[in-house]
Amino acid sequence: MSFALLVMLILFAILMFLGFPLSFTMILSSILYFLFSGKPLYLVVHRMFTGIDTFTLMAIPFFILAGELMVYSGTAKKLLDFSNLLVGRFRGGLGYVNVLASMLFGGCSGSAISDVAGLGTLELEMMETAGYDKAFSTAVTVSSAIQGPIIPPSIPIVLIGSVTGTSIGGLLLGSAVPGVLVGLAQMLVVFYISRKRNFPRNVLNLRFLDKIKIVIESIPFLIMPLIIIGGIIGGLFTPTEASAVAVFYGILLTLIFNRKVTLKDIKDLFKRSVITASTVLLLSASSNIFGWILATEQIPESLGNILSSISQDPKMFLFIVNIALLIWGMFMDSLPAITILAPILFPIALRYGIHPIHFGVVMNFNLVIGLITPPYGVALFTGMMVSNLPMEKIVKEMIPFIIASICVLFFITYFPNVIMFLPSLFGLNR
Amino acid sequence: MIFKRLDSIVNAIIENLSNTLLFLMFFVVMLEVISRYVMKTPFFWTDELARYLMFYMVMFGSSIALREERHPALLFIIEKFPKKIKSLWFIIVDIIISILLIIIFKEGLSMAIDALNMKTPALRIPFFWVYLALPIGSFLMLYQIATKYIYRFMGERNK
């Protein structure tokens, strides 16, 4: 290991843990590497540019904007009514409704925060009026939000694909089944807890015509994921083009279903999308320098050698990575974690003969769990804000949901066919 | 308060510009999809134009994100520190980021000037205009840090 690299890594670690913005941490430590190794600084700015100058990355701003537009068009209410019609009548019904609505919403939005913020307020209100315990309601709301960034469209999946050069269409498709599985696992938890605590059944007194109305009104919102996935599978458009079509569809739904559109709301919605997208893309730019330095210094190779001296078995490797990522995700958002870790871990995973789509989906799934786990989880924080409850109370109720999610994580890790089935079926597994 | 008014005008311009850029990106990519299905020879410049628009959007957007402290960071350790040390450290952080931004500004500008005669593959515009986003962006980020301290300074004087 060269001296310059040592300086870079030490500075990186210090600044990272002391609350320095992560994108700037990567750029600054890279600049120090270049200064110490006598390479021209020109490379830093040029790689910053090439790290953003990627057409596939453009799906990130578009999926963010599409998600915002879907919330604004009133998706949440429609999907909740639809879910209520399907599963509301069982014992603990609103728990199922909450999970199912998040699953359907996950097909419109690619982030966990918009799930909690957009859908969560309505869900909590609904469960509170029906007499559910507030801590439990919040726990279901926050936990089920992880389906957002797992079920396609997904922002972290696009980032993984862009940073590592893996097929984004394949990754998106591979994530679909795991996303539904985690929803089902969480419904199982709801089932168990509703029995144990004797939750109420809520009676739906709907006439047949009302039911038809709910179904028809929710159809435009339900077909959003079909447009995206269908478009990619059918070769109609690339993932980036599909994300632009999603924005178009979001605008259409907003114009049709939101009767109170104001210019100020639209401006705010665009501003929020710009801010989120810019921070993610700046991370990608920084990772393009940082990851390149690690690659030229052969860090993935060295780390791979250490790991393969521990075990040659890909199963063991995946186990170690999963545990490490679960811990890492407890402290860091999934998006910066991807930009820092994916360039290191992907080459090693390839050496173990693990398919990049399998590894990418597992990595995303794993880091997304970190969004709901303490001490640092953005979805958890959003849940605290929406419900006004302290973290401990929510987390106590969330433990079974988190355990269920981790079980699904290990299931998809060791049964790669669950992930690979759909991408292989449509020839996107290259 | 002339300064306050000027600052809000500047920020409104940055926000409206970046919003427009995002919309233009969307428009250009939709044009690409439509042109492919409607015309015999689809537009060849849409991909490139959308990418360069995105580069500008990221640079403007990063400056808004810096003002609103939205760049992701690990705060769980620093939050445990006493208030005085914390605020002192964040001043140091701002100084380090400023130095970093000055480096990016300088290197970005010289990269742009070096590329005056290089033309982009599809649009045939000088790369200068593309790379210029980097010095502009880093200047705007420096501006946000500077105004933050000007506001702080003024606030203390008003007390």
Side-chain angles (χ1 to χ4, degrees):
Chain A
M1 194 189 277
S2 69
F3 176 68
L5 183 72
L6 199 69
V7 171
M8 173 178 108
L9 291 179
I10 291 172
L11 187 78
F12 174 75
I14 293 174
L15 290 180
M16 177 172 79
F17 285 117
L18 286 179
F20 208 82
L22 290 162
S23 40
F24 293 119
T25 307
M26 282 192 267
I27 300 173
L28 184 68
S29 44
S30 303
I31 286 182
L32 240 69
Y33 171 85
F34 279 87
L35 285 176
F36 275 96
S37 60
K39 292 191 177 86
L41 283 180
Y42 159 82
L43 278 171
V44 174
V45 279
H46 191 256
R47 287 204 76 87
M48 266 181 84
F49 167 68
T50 52
I52 298 173
D53 187 35
T54 319
F55 193 64
T56 51
L57 267 179
M58 210 175 295
I60 292 177
F62 290 160
F63 277 145
I64 293 173
L65 182 59
E68 288 274 358
L69 284 164
M70 291 305 277
V71 174
Y72 188 54
S73 68
T75 330
K77 178 87 181 67
K78 297 273 169 21
L79 291 181
L80 266 180
D81 286 346
F82 180 72
S83 309
N84 203 356
L85 185 67
L86 285 185
V87 290
R89 70 190 95 110
F90 303 117
R91 184 178 297 286
L94 289 186
Y96 300 115
V97 171
N98 195 322
V99 181
L100 183 66
S102 290
M103 190 187 289
L104 299 173
F105 191 74
C108 303
S109 140
S111 94
I113 304 168
S114 70
D115 188 307
V116 182
L119 199 59
T121 340
L122 290 175
E123 286 172 340
L124 286 178
E125 210 179 86
M126 203 169 167
M127 290 179 87
E128 207 169 359
T129 29
Y132 283 80
D133 172 42
K134 199 173 179 188
F136 174 76
S137 317
T138 316
V140 186
T141 306
V142 172
S143 312
S144 62
I146 66 169
Q147 295 172 97
I150 298 175
I151 293 176
S154 157
I155 290 148
I157 282 283
V158 176
L159 193 62
I160 289 182
S162 294
V163 169
T164 65
T166 313
S167 149
I168 291 174
L171 285 167
L172 284 174
L173 219 53
S175 243
V177 177
V180 174
L181 278 182
V182 77
L184 294 178
Q186 289 180 345
M187 283 189 194
L188 216 62
V189 176
V190 173
F191 175 78
Y192 177 74
I193 292 178
S194 343
R195 290 289 148 121
K196 213 172 99 186
R197 301 193 194 164
N198 215 357
F199 277 154
R201 294 163 189 273
N202 63 326
V203 191
L204 277 169
N205 278 323
L206 285 172
R207 282 176 304 155
F208 183 70
L209 269 173
D210 290 335
K211 290 182 185 172
I212 298 283
K213 192 168 165 254
I214 289 176
V215 173
I216 289 176
E217 279 189 345
S218 56
I219 287 174
F221 299 92
L222 291 170
I223 57 174
M224 169 82 153
L226 296 181
I227 295 173
I228 297 169
I229 296 300
I232 297 173
I233 292 174
L236 290 177
F237 17 75
T238 63
T240 304
E241 290 171 352
S243 66
V245 173
V247 171
F248 178 74
Y249 194 65
I251 293 174
L252 214 65
L253 289 186
T254 305
L255 290 179
I256 298 172
F257 290 101
N258 190 335
R259 307 236 178 268
K260 287 175 288 190
V261 181
T262 64
L263 188 67
K264 192 185 172 296
D265 287 345
I266 298 282
K267 260 183 166 176
D268 286 347
L269 181 158
F270 263 81
K271 185 185 162 191
R272 280 198 301 273
S273 310
V274 165
I275 291 179
T276 320
S278 302
T279 54
V280 180
L281 293 170
L282 196 68
L283 276 167
S284 160
S286 343
S287 151
N288 198 37
I289 321 165
F290 196 73
W292 178 76
I293 295 172
L294 294 179
T296 47
E297 289 278 348
Q298 302 189 318
I299 295 299
E301 282 84 346
S302 319
L303 195 64
N305 288 338
I306 297 171
L307 281 169
S308 58
S309 73
I310 298 172
S311 168
Q312 298 278 357
D313 188 2
K315 289 196 173 77
M316 189 62 199
F317 165 74
L318 283 169
F319 182 77
I320 296 171
V321 168
N322 265 333
I323 298 296
L325 287 183
L326 279 172
I327 297 170
W328 192 288
M330 285 169 73
F331 299 100
M332 195 186 278
D333 260 7
S334 64
L335 297 166
I338 287 166
T339 53
I340 295 169
L341 296 175
I344 306 174
L345 293 178
F346 263 70
I348 306 177
L350 279 183
R351 249 177 54 170
Y352 275 99
I354 300 163
H355 196 288
I357 291 179
H358 175 210
F359 191 69
V361 171
V362 168
M363 183 175 185
N364 175 48
F365 195 110
N366 186 317
L367 288 171
V368 161
I369 295 177
L371 300 179
I372 61 167
T373 50
Y376 184 89
V378 276
L380 182 58
F381 291 162
T382 318
M384 282 158 61
M385 250 157 38
V386 174
S387 68
N388 272 324
L389 284 177
M391 190 193 271
E392 305 81 49
K393 273 198 170 163
I394 308 172
V395 170
K396 209 176 136 204
E397 292 284 345
M398 277 174 63
I399 291 169
F401 291 99
I402 295 174
I403 292 172
S405 313
I406 293 176
C407 289
V408 178
L409 169 69
F410 278 97
F411 178 71
I412 61 165
T413 305
Y414 292 116
F415 294 93
N417 281 337
V418 178
I419 296 169
M420 297 305 297
F421 171 69
L422 280 178
S424 319
L425 193 65
F426 294 101
L428 287 166
N429 56 340
R430 273 158 289 126
Chain B
M1 294 292 279
I2 287 184
F3 168 73
K4 213 171 178 177
R5 194 183 285 168
L6 269 177
D7 181 51
S8 65
I9 292 173
V10 171
N11 281 319
I13 293 174
I14 299 174
E15 281 168 18
N16 284 325
L17 259 174
S18 52
N19 288 355
T20 314
L21 284 167
L22 179 58
F23 185 78
L24 282 178
M25 279 159 59
F26 158 69
F27 184 77
V28 170
V29 176
M30 282 311 283
L31 214 61
E32 174 177 307
V33 179
I34 294 165
S35 78
R36 207 178 48 233
Y37 286 102
V38 175
M39 302 189 319
K40 272 188 193 135
T41 46
F43 298 128
F44 57 91
W45 44 265
T46 45
D47 177 310
E48 192 181 284
L49 180 60
R51 274 185 284 124
Y52 297 158
L53 291 172
M54 179 161 79
F55 191 48
Y56 269 90
M57 185 202 78
V58 174
M59 287 301 133
F60 288 131
S62 293
S63 105
I64 307 173
L66 198 64
R67 184 178 79 229
E68 308 207 340
E69 294 174 2
R70 290 281 305 278
H71 285 287
L74 288 187
L75 296 171
F76 64 96
I77 293 177
I78 198 75
E79 265 165 4
K80 300 272 186 298
F81 279 58
K83 219 177 171 183
K84 268 195 175 158
I85 298 180
K86 214 167 72 180
S87 61
L88 185 70
W89 167 245
F90 279 117
I91 292 174
I92 298 174
V93 167
D94 282 331
I95 294 172
I96 302 175
I97 294 181
S98 304
I99 296 170
L100 171 73
L101 288 170
I102 291 170
I103 297 175
I104 295 177
F105 178 84
K106 190 181 147 284
E107 291 296 324
L109 193 65
S110 62
M111 175 167 78
I113 290 169
D114 284 346
L116 259 174
N117 295 321
M118 251 162 56
K119 296 232 167 83
T120 66
L123 292 163
R124 308 301 300 161
I125 50 168
F127 256 113
F128 173 79
W129 296 108
V130 180
Y131 292 156
L132 198 62
L134 212 51
I136 292 177
S138 38
F139 177 78
L140 289 177
M141 285 187 249
L142 278 167
Y143 168 82
Q144 302 293 5
I145 295 176
T147 48
K148 182 168 117 188
Y149 283 94
I150 293 174
Y151 275 126
R152 207 177 277 182
F153 181 68
M154 287 193 321
E156 267 159 32
R157 207 175 46 179
N158 286 348
K159 273 176 206 165

